[in-house]
């Protein structure tokens, strides 16, 4: 089933780039998944005994980890103990032919193992080293354990999420990690472009989980700096426009309505039978409407509550107003637009057979991405990489396996 180096793969924008993924949950692996989706040769390096902890993360079917199949797609896997001097020596041999290393150990860990950036650049001066941590490589918090939950708390996201009279709310998924993983893929490509287009040497990218989600939360620090304003949470409402909320339909489903544009707000109020409100002076601005959110939510909520979800979506669409159903995973699988645009695609897996998963994240007309294969078993490609490509003697590999340096 494994397909490699087809004409289609060579057409990928990152064909010829080799990435060593020595990261784990979640930002680093997602970064490397994105790079692999668009043609990079990604080599996943895992501990030879315990493997990557992503293998035990999330749901499993008959012992087969489902998230692993997606997050580690398009990655060859090698079991290698980097803390062992012999494992570190093999890693340096892989580094010699690599373009990128992505890691998320605590600051100082690679240095303690003798494979920090200085040593890696001795072996490969052009190497791009992407270091992902909770709080960065320097500063008072650098040594703290870093997890997405902490970044979601410190970024302002939790403070702004939830009902006004309720507690700060954390997401039920890896939001900070995912934003950081996407940012890391962008940073990686920037560093590769600087090397290719401007003759830059290899460099170290220092990326924290905290900064990308801070950017996503918005300009709160600027507002505080200039106005002394500290934004507060307002449930599903916005301080910038109204009506903006989720509303329950007659059949017990939910829809979300947005009126970020003035024209859309006017269409919504005409649709729900309240055109007279449009002439109110306060209705002419988003913040003015937000100050009257109780009134507007009452009008919109009553109209929606008298109709089924499908009726609401149909009538909003016909009126040119902005609405979306609140979906769960089953709804996404069944949605006609998701199907037509192949946002979720079916991939053949050795363990699961046909399995549906998220497609490559964006479409490129000339250099498209592709899912070549799904997440592999631990050490599935060790022999190919260490014996066939690096030329390690098989008897040496056998001895290292006995010592659990490789898998």
């Amino acid at each position: 089933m494994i397909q490699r180096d087809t004409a289609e793969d060579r057409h990928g924008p990152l064909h010829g780039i080799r990435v060593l993924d020595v990261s784990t949950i979640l930002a680093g692996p997602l970064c490397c998944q994105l790079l692999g989706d668009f043609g990079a040769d990604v080599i996943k390096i895992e501990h030879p005994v315990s493997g990557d902890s992503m293998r035990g993360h999330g749901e499993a079917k008959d012992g087969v980890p489902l998230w692993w199949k997606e997050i580690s797609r398009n990655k060859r896997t090698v079991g290698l103990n980097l803390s062992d001097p012999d494992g570190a020596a093999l890693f340096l041999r892989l580094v010699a032919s690599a373009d990128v290393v992505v890691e998320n150990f605590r600051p100082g860990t690679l240095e303690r193992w003798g494979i920090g950036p200085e040593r890696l650049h001795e072996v490969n001066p052009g190497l791009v080293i992407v270091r992902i941590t909770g709080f960065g490589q320097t500063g008072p918090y650098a040594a703290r354990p870093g997890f997405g939950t902490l970044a979601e708390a410190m970024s302002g996201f939790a403070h702004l999420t939830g009902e006004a009279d309720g507690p700060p709310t954390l997401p039920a998924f890896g939001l900070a990690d995912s934003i950081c993983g996407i940012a890391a893929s962008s940073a990686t490509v920037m560093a590769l472009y600087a090397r290719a287009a401007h003759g830059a040497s290899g460099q170290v990218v220092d990326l924290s989980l905290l900064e990308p989600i801070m950017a996503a939360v918005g300009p709160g620090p600027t507002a505080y700096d200039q106005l002394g304003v500290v934004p507060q949470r307002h449930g599903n409402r916005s301080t910038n426009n109204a009506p903006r909320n989720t509303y329950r339909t007659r059949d017990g489903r939910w829809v979300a309505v947005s009126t970020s544009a003035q024209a859309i707000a006017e269409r919504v109020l005409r649709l729900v039978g309240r055109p007279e409100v449009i002439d109110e002076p306060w209705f002419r601005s988003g913040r003015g409407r937000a100050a009257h959110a109780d009134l507007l939510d009452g009008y919109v909520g009553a109209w929606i509550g008298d109709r089924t979800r499908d009726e609401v979506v149909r009538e909003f669409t016909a009126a040119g107003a902005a609405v979306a159903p609140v979906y769960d995973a089953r709804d996404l699988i069944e949605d006609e637009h998701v199907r037509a645009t192949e946002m979720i695609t079916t991939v053949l897996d050795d363990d699961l057979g046909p399995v549906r998963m998220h497609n490559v994240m964006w479409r490129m007309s000339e250099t498209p991405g592709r899912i070549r294969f799904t997440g592999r078993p631990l050490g599935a490609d060790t022999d190919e990489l260490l014996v066939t490509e690096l030329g390690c003697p098989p008897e040496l590999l056998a001895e290292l396996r006995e010592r659990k340096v490789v898998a």
Side-chain angles (χ1 to χ4, degrees):
M1 189 208 100
I2 305 302
Q3 305 172 52
R4 298 200 183 94
D5 202 31
T6 65
E8 187 176 353
D9 296 332
R10 290 193 293 272
H11 201 45
L14 297 179
H15 174 73
I17 296 296
R18 174 167 285 188
V19 178
L20 304 183
D21 178 3
V22 293
S23 63
T24 187
I25 305 170
L26 167 64
L30 178 57
C31 167
C32 295
Q33 177 205 311
L34 294 172
L35 300 176
D37 284 351
F38 288 91
D41 175 23
V42 181
I43 299 170
K44 178 69 185 176
I45 296 176
E46 307 176 65
H47 190 278
V49 177
S50 58
D52 187 338
S53 54
M54 278 298 304
R55 290 184 180 272
H57 215 66
E59 302 284 353
K61 179 182 179 182
D62 299 328
V64 177
L66 300 181
W67 201 349
W68 177 261
K69 293 296 183 179
E70 179 171 328
I71 199 73
S72 291
R73 69 194 190 194
N74 296 330
K75 301 179 186 180
R76 296 190 281 171
T77 174
V78 176
L80 193 60
N81 186 353
L82 300 184
S83 67
D84 183 284
D86 290 328
L90 288 171
F91 176 66
L92 290 174
R93 293 183 63 181
L94 289 170
V95 164
S97 64
D99 298 281
V100 179
V101 168
V102 178
E103 65 98 2
N104 68 343
F105 296 104
R106 283 202 201 184
T109 300
L110 291 186
E111 288 83 350
R112 189 169 68 251
W113 294 342
I115 49 175
E118 190 172 317
R119 178 69 178 115
L120 299 184
H121 280 146
E122 288 177 3
V123 172
N124 185 344
L127 187 70
V128 172
I129 306 168
V130 181
R131 312 193 79 176
I132 301 173
T133 54
F135 302 102
Q137 296 293 318
T138 61
Y141 301 161
R144 289 186 180 182
F147 298 100
T149 297
L150 310 186
E152 288 147 9
M154 290 183 64
S155 64
F157 173 85
H159 173 74
L160 290 175
T161 305
E163 296 299 325
D165 58 352
T169 301
L170 296 167
F173 54 93
L175 179 63
D177 277 277
S178 297
I179 295 173
C180 184
I182 297 168
S185 70
S186 177
T188 301
V189 174
M190 287 182 190
L192 290 172
Y193 178 79
R195 191 184 71 177
H198 305 302
S201 61
Q203 59 181 298
V204 177
V205 176
D206 179 4
L207 181 61
S208 74
L209 292 176
L210 183 56
E211 287 178 276
I213 191 171
M214 283 172 57
V217 169
T222 303
Y224 176 74
D225 174 68
Q226 295 296 304
L227 301 172
V229 172
V230 177
Q232 302 298 317
R233 54 187 169 277
H234 302 279
N236 289 324
R237 289 178 173 175
S238 169
T239 58
N240 297 315
N241 64 82
R244 190 266 197 181
N245 214 323
T246 57
Y247 306 89
R248 191 179 181 93
T249 62
R250 191 181 71 203
D251 53 349
R253 309 301 292 273
W254 292 85
V255 297
V257 172
S258 175
T259 56
S260 295
Q262 180 70 22
I264 298 295
E266 293 176 7
R267 291 171 195 167
V268 170
L269 270 296
R270 289 192 185 99
L271 175 63
V272 303
R274 294 291 180 171
E276 72 279 2
V277 180
I278 298 170
D279 296 326
E280 295 286 347
W282 52 262
F283 196 87
R284 297 170 189 165
S285 71
R287 292 189 74 86
R289 298 196 308 274
H292 293 79
D294 285 343
L295 177 69
L296 297 176
D297 275 347
Y299 292 154
V300 175
W303 187 91
I304 288 175
D306 287 339
R307 290 159 177 81
T308 67
R309 186 184 72 176
D310 289 347
E311 289 171 340
V312 171
V313 171
R314 185 167 57 249
E315 294 194 42
F316 261 73
T317 302
V323 70
V326 175
Y327 274 175
D328 58 22
R330 177 177 55 191
D331 295 321
L332 274 173
I333 288 280
E334 296 173 351
D335 181 81
E336 62 178 352
H337 183 80
V338 172
R339 286 175 178 265
T341 56
E342 297 186 84
M343 293 182 183
I344 294 174
T345 190
T346 300
V347 184
L348 185 61
D349 176 74
D350 288 341
D351 299 310
L352 301 169
V355 58
R356 285 183 285 198
M357 64 176 60
H358 300 108
N359 206 341
V360 296
M361 198 172 286
W362 51 84
R363 312 291 181 264
M364 299 179 71
S365 63
E366 301 302 316
T367 54
R370 182 166 98 89
I371 302 172
R372 302 185 299 280
F373 52 91
T374 55
R376 307 269 282 144
L378 173 61
D381 303 286
T382 298
D383 284 20
E384 177 184 355
L385 281 158
L386 299 186
V387 177
T388 305
E389 294 192 21
L390 291 187
C392 292
E395 56 272 19
L396 172 61
L397 205 63
E399 187 264 326
L400 293 176
R401 275 202 172 99
E402 181 69 23
R403 290 174 42 213
K404 301 190 185 310
V405 176
V406 302

